[in-house]
Structures are given as C-alpha cells and as structure tokens.
Amino acid sequence: MSNNSTAPSLRVVHSITELNARDAGCIAVSGSHGGLSAARYAVAARPLVSVFNDAGIGKDEAGIAGLALLQRHGLAACAVSHQSARIGDAQSTLDDGEIQHVNAAARSLGVAVGERCADVVQRLRESSAPPGK
C-alpha cells in the first residue's frame, strides 16, 4: 500500500453479518466461525482482511471453509484457534486470538500462522498509515 493512504478502519464485530458495503477495505475482526455462511457476508462487504474463529474446525473443515471462498474472490481471510479466543466474542478474537489458518491473500499481506491477532491488526494498520501518524 502507498504511504499516502490512510490506515484502514478497524471493525470489531461479534458477527460478521454486522458488516456492510461501507466497511469495504476495513480490517474486520469477528467472533464468527469461518464457515461458508459467514464468508458470504464478508464477500459482500469486501474488507481488506477478515478474521474469524475456527470454531473447532469441524467436519470436513466446515469451520474454516469460508477462507477458500474468500480466496476465490481475492479477499484475505484468516481464523484464530478456538482454543485461544472465545467463539462469538470479537474482543476475545482481537485480544486473545492466535492465528491458526490463513488463506493465500492473507499470507500476501504478511499474516502468518502463530501470530497474535492484535499484532496482525496493529501491523496492517501501521503499514497503511500516512507518515507521521
């Protein structure tokens, strides 16, 4: 991103369904599972990156299936481990979450497995902020 851009807004939402078109380009930290139904809301809103909870992953990796859907739409997404943050609690995702799953678009932004969600958010916001901010 250009140094002349502004830092992306941060949306901390218990449910990804709270996002809308005005949130395009934001960093969306949610308490939602990373399944297909949740990912469809992120596709519509088009955040810079969406953070979900893996919700224990589940059968056929249903708890993180949305990461692949978001990748197909060119959108960055990752999920924190359900053992690190409370499912349904976005503040816990932000404060306590450890990234456990990352799609390729998120990797291209520098998001890596094992990082704290709060560190990822801070880095993405700082790397996008204009000089002196």
Side-chain angles (χ1 to χ4, degrees), residues 23-106:
D23 295 312
C26 77
I27 297 170
V29 176
S30 78
S32 294
H33 61 75
L36 291 174
S37 61
R40 289 183 186 109
Y41 288 95
V43 167
R46 303 200 62 78
L48 171 68
V49 63
S50 299
V51 183
F52 299 97
N53 188 299
D54 73 12
I57 303 171
K59 184 177 180 180
D60 299 325
E61 297 190 340
I64 58 169
L67 278 62
L69 174 66
L70 287 159
Q71 179 62 42
R72 288 193 296 276
H73 287 271
L75 296 169
C78 58
V80 301
S81 169
H82 67 285
Q83 294 180 324
S84 66
R86 289 183 296 279
I87 300 167
D89 185 336
Q91 197 63 53
S92 179
T93 302
L94 179 61
D95 294 342
D96 309 316
E98 182 178 300
I99 306 296
Q100 192 66 37
H101 311 275
V102 181
N103 72 8

Side-chain angles (χ1 to χ4, degrees), residues 6-10 27 120-130:
T6 59
S9 63
L10 173 60
I27 297 170
V120 168
V121 167
Q122 180 179 354
R123 186 177 66 248
L124 289 174
R125 296 196 80 214
E126 287 175 353
S127 69
S128 301

